Amino acid sequence: MSLKIEVKDIAGKPTGSVDLPAAIFDVQANVPLIHQVVVAQLAAARAGTHKTKNRGEVSGGGKKPFKQKGTGRARQGSTRSPNQRHGGVAHGPVPRKYDQRTPKKMIAAALKGVLSDRQRASRIHAVSGIVEASTTKAAISAVRQFSDRKNLLVVLSRTENAAWLALRNHDDLHLIVNDQLNAYDVLVADDVIFSEGALRDFIAGPATGKGATAVARESEVGVSA
C-alpha cells in the first residue's frame, strides 16, 4: 500500500506525484516512544559544561571570620563556607554528560510516527525546481505556497546548495538535509516541505559503500559553506 503526494513547481502548478510508502508515512504513532526519543535528543544537545566553585575552590578562608565565643552569633570557621558571602556553593552543578542511550530502531520508529501524523493532517508537501528560483524571494515564495502557518521545515537534498543558500536566513524556515531528518524537527514544525529530490532520496534510504561516504563528505562541505 502507498500514498500519493502531489508535487508542485515554484509557480504552484502540479508537475507530477510521488508515492509515499505506507511503512514510513502511514504507521501508528507511539506517543510515549516519540516522547522518549525527543527527550533524549534534547538531552544530547546539552553542553553539560555548567560548573560552580565549592568551598575548596574559592579564594580566601585562612582564618576564622570572628572569634569563637562572646559575639552572640553562630560560630564560623571559614569565610569560604557556603553560608558566607563570597563563599563556595554547596551541591552546585558540575560538568556532566546528559546523553541517553537510544537504539536506532527507536529513533526510526519515532520519525515514522511523526511523519505519519503530519501526513494524515495533510501537512507534508513537495516542491520541484526550487533550485531554479532566480532570487531568494522566489525561493521563499515557492516554499510558502503550501502553508501560511508560521514554522515550516524545509527538507533539501545534499546537492541542492543553491536552494540552501537562498533559504537559510529566513526566520520562519528551518532547513535540514534529508538524511538528518529527525522526530523533533518534524514535531515542532507546522508543515514539512520536501524538495522533490530530497523526498525521493529519503524514501530510497541512505546509500551505502565507500563511494556514498565520499559523496556525503563533499556535499557536507557545500551545504555548510
Side-chain angles (χ1 to χ4, degrees), residues 19-34:
D19 291 331
L20 302 182
I24 300 176
F25 292 92
D26 193 22
V27 302
Q28 182 66 37
N30 186 334
V31 176
L33 171 64
I34 294 171

Side-chain angles (χ1 to χ4, degrees), residues 2-6 18-22 24-27 111-126 186 190-192 194 199:
S2 63
L3 311 168
K4 282 188 179 294
I5 183 173
E6 189 176 60
V18 176
D19 291 331
L20 302 182
I24 300 176
F25 292 92
D26 193 22
V27 302
L111 177 58
K112 292 176 183 178
V114 294
L115 286 174
S116 298
D117 179 74
R118 289 292 183 265
Q119 168 59 22
R120 282 189 282 270
S122 300
R123 294 195 177 189
I124 289 184
H125 317 280
V186 176
D190 295 318
D191 290 80
V192 183
F194 285 87
L199 181 57

Side-chain angles (χ1 to χ4, degrees), residues 32 37 46-47 65 102 183 192 209:
V37 170
R46 297 182 66 175
T102 312
V192 183

Side-chain angles (χ1 to χ4, degrees), residues 31-50:
V31 176
L33 171 64
I34 294 171
H35 177 267
Q36 182 177 347
V37 170
V38 168
V39 168
Q41 181 176 340
L42 294 178
R46 297 182 66 175
T49 55
H50 39 38

Side-chain angles (χ1 to χ4, degrees), residues 4-19:
K4 282 188 179 294
I5 183 173
E6 189 176 60
V7 180
K8 294 183 178 181
D9 62 14
I10 58 176
K13 297 180 181 179
T15 60
S17 62
V18 176
D19 291 331

